[in-house]
Every structure is written in structure tokens, then in C-alpha cells.
């Protein structure tokens, strides 16, 4: 089965600074990868997705992520943090390794982002 | 507007009681999912369904049950057999299982008193 690891459960950034959230996956087949954002007491909202097209993926709210097969990574970045970016972020992979696991999504543990003025 | 509706948003239950969480979608999606969220543990899959009248266990199905009698509905029952049911529950759907992204409801927070 595929799995996802997010490095760092909490990240603090200054307003205007670079946001970098790390995600590594384990997979024996080309994965589909996703980043979601969650605000308190709400559901998750898709930021962006990689499904075997361009390796640099642009999403909503100025976020982008780069798929690097050699590093099995899909890190999320935003050049300049805004106060509204304070939220929890989840990396997810669609499990396509076997018929039994097809259709399941595995989520990382999440990274809480705090933005300071 | 198309989307996923979960109800109730907040629910309190006494120990030993079963409770059912509702999930309805009008997106015409084939696949539907239930996740449990606990602080610091991400989302863990309880059950998922790829088509009507069919569903599969996820990673933490013990103490839960589901049905999928209609395409738009996927209710989750938290039974008294679930040892630690206090959590935030999220329902999601996707056009096709495992290929396209998940769309999430607003969640239901269950507290056992």
C-alpha cells in the first residue's frame, strides 16, 4: 500500500515569507498526489493535484507543488505567506497499487501553519 | 449549488448508544467515503463505496457500519462497539474512485458523554 509522510507537524512563517511544506510518498507505481487545506471545524478543500501531467502544478491561492520522482516528493510552496494562509495542510496519495486498494486515498498527518505578522 | 451535506454538525451521545451520521451529495459522484479525524493523526478511512449497493472496509472499520442504497446517500452508523467514538467525521465523494480528487463535506463532530 502507498503511504504519505509530512515532515513537521507545525510550521511558523512570517507574513510575506516563503511557505514550504514537505511531503514524501512511498509508491511502487506512479501515484496521483494531492494537497488539501483545512480551516478550523471545516472540511478539506483541494489546493492542487498531480495526475501524471506536468511535474510543476499550480493551484489556488498562489500555491504550487513540484513532483520529483527521484526524491519521491511533492512539496508545497507559496512565495509570500498571507495571514489567511494559517490553516492545516494535508498531503494525500491515491492508492493504485492493487485491485484491493484501488480507490483509497492515504493522508499524511497534516502540517499546521501559523503566520506571524 | 452542488456539494456534500453532512448532518448533524454537532452530536452528543451517551455511552452504549448507536448514532447515525448523514451524508448526502448532489454532485452525481459514483464514489463516497467516510473518514475519521483525530488531532495529529490526519484522516483515517472508515468505509468507502465505489458504486451503489457496494462498499468496502477502510483501515478502521471496526465499530462502524454503512449502507449505500442510493447514489447520493452514504450514512455512517457509529455503534456501541466503537471503543473511542469521540472524533470529527468527514464525508467525501469523487467522480471516480481513486482517480479524481475528493470533495468534502463540512464534517460532523461527535462527542460521547
Amino acid at each position: 500500500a502507498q503511504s504519505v509522510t509530512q515532515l513537521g507537524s507545525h510550521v511558523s512563517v512570517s507574513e510575506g515569507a516563503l511557505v514550504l511544506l514537505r511531503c514524501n510518498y512511498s509508491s511502487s507505481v506512479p501515484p496521483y498526489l494531492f494537497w488539501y487545506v483545512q480551516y478550523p471545524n471545516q472540511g478539506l478543500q483541494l489546493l492542487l493535484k498531480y495526475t501524471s501531467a506536468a511535474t510543476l502544478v499550480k493551484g489556488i491561492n498562489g500555491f504550487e507543488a513540484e513532483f520529483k520522482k527521484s526524491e519521491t516528493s511533492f512539496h508545497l510552496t507559496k512565495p509570500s505567506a498571507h495571514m489567511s494562509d494559517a490553516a492545516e495542510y494535508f498531503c494525500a496519495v491515491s492508492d493504485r497499487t492493487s485491485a484491493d486498494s484501488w480507490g483509497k486515498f492515504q493522508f499524511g498527518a497534516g502540517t499546521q501553519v501559523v503566520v506571524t505578522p | 449549488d452542488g456539494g456534500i451535506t453532512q448532518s448533524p454538525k454537532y452530536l452528543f451521545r451517551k455511552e452504549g448508544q448507536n448514532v447515525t451520521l448523514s451524508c448526502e451529495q448532489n454532485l452525481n459522484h459514483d464514489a463516497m467515503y467516510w473518514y475519521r479525524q483525530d488531532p495529529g493523526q490526519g484522516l483515517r478511512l472508515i468505509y468507502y463505496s465505489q458504486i451503489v449497493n457496494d462498499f468496502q472496509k477502510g483501515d478502521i472499520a471496526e465499530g462502524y457500519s454503512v449502507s449505500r442504497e442510493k447514489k447520493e446517500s452514504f450514512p455512517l452508523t457509529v455503534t456501541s462497539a466503537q471503543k473511542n467514538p469521540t472524533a470529527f467525521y468527514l464525508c467525501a465523494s469523487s467522480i471516480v474512485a481513486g482517480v479524481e480528487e475528493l470533495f468534502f463535506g463540512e464534517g460532523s463532530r461527535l462527542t460521547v458523554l
Side-chain angles (χ1 to χ4, degrees), chain B residues 8-110:
Chain B
K9 189 167 180 63
Y10 298 95
L11 184 61
F12 298 89
R13 179 195 106 173
K14 294 182 180 179
E15 283 192 28
Q17 290 182 334
N18 292 355
V19 62
T20 297
L21 307 181
S22 171
C23 178
E24 302 279 332
Q25 56 103 353
N26 61 3
L27 299 168
N28 199 32
H29 287 176
D30 284 324
M32 296 187 74
Y33 303 76
W34 275 105
Y35 286 92
R36 170 179 171 142
Q37 186 176 21
D38 297 281
Q41 296 193 46
L43 278 67
R44 292 183 290 169
L45 182 63
I46 305 173
Y47 270 97
Y48 67 112
S49 168
Q50 300 191 45
I51 56 173
V52 176
N53 293 322
D54 186 49
F55 49 83
Q56 292 79 40
K57 292 182 179 180
D59 301 317
I60 56 165
E62 185 175 352
Y64 300 97
S65 66
V66 293
S67 62
R68 186 84 187 277
E69 298 176 359
K70 298 185 297 182
K71 187 176 184 178
E72 60 270 22
S73 179
F74 192 42
L76 173 73
T77 297
V78 184
T79 75
S80 57
Q82 169 51 233
K83 299 303 181 186
N84 184 22
T86 295
F88 191 53
Y89 291 88
L90 288 161
C91 180
S93 70
S94 67
I95 297 173
V96 176
V99 176
E100 298 295 334
E101 68 269 25
L102 292 170
F103 289 77
F104 284 86
E106 292 290 292
S108 293
R109 186 167 297 280
L110 172 63

Side-chain angles (χ1 to χ4, degrees), chain A:
Chain A
Q2 296 175 332
S3 65
V4 173
T5 302
Q6 290 184 241
L7 298 177
S9 59
H10 288 79
V11 169
S12 182
V13 298
S14 299
E15 192 174 16
L18 172 71
V19 179
L20 170 60
L21 305 182
R22 300 179 187 276
C23 172
N24 288 89
Y25 66 91
S26 65
S27 174
S28 57
V29 300
Y32 290 170
L33 294 157
F34 307 82
W35 274 101
Y36 291 87
V37 61
Q38 184 182 33
Y39 298 98
N41 294 312
Q42 294 186 22
L44 279 68
Q45 177 185 5
L46 180 72
L47 280 175
L48 47 79
K49 64 181 179 181
Y50 168 78
T51 55
S52 305
T55 57
L56 183 61
V57 181
K58 294 188 181 299
I60 62 171
N61 301 338
F63 284 94
E64 64 181 35
E66 185 172 9
F67 172 70
K68 292 187 176 180
K69 184 177 179 180
S70 61
E71 299 177 8
T72 60
S73 69
F74 190 56
H75 300 333
L76 181 71
T77 61
K78 182 174 180 178
S80 177
H82 190 272
M83 297 299 289
S84 61
D85 295 326
E88 190 158 22
Y89 293 79
F90 293 92
C91 183
V93 61
S94 172
D95 196 333
R96 303 162 64 230
T97 54
S98 70
D100 288 341
S101 62
W102 189 273
K104 297 169 70 172
F105 292 81
Q106 297 294 335
F107 284 80
T111 299
Q112 184 70 47
V113 172
V114 174
V115 182
T116 57

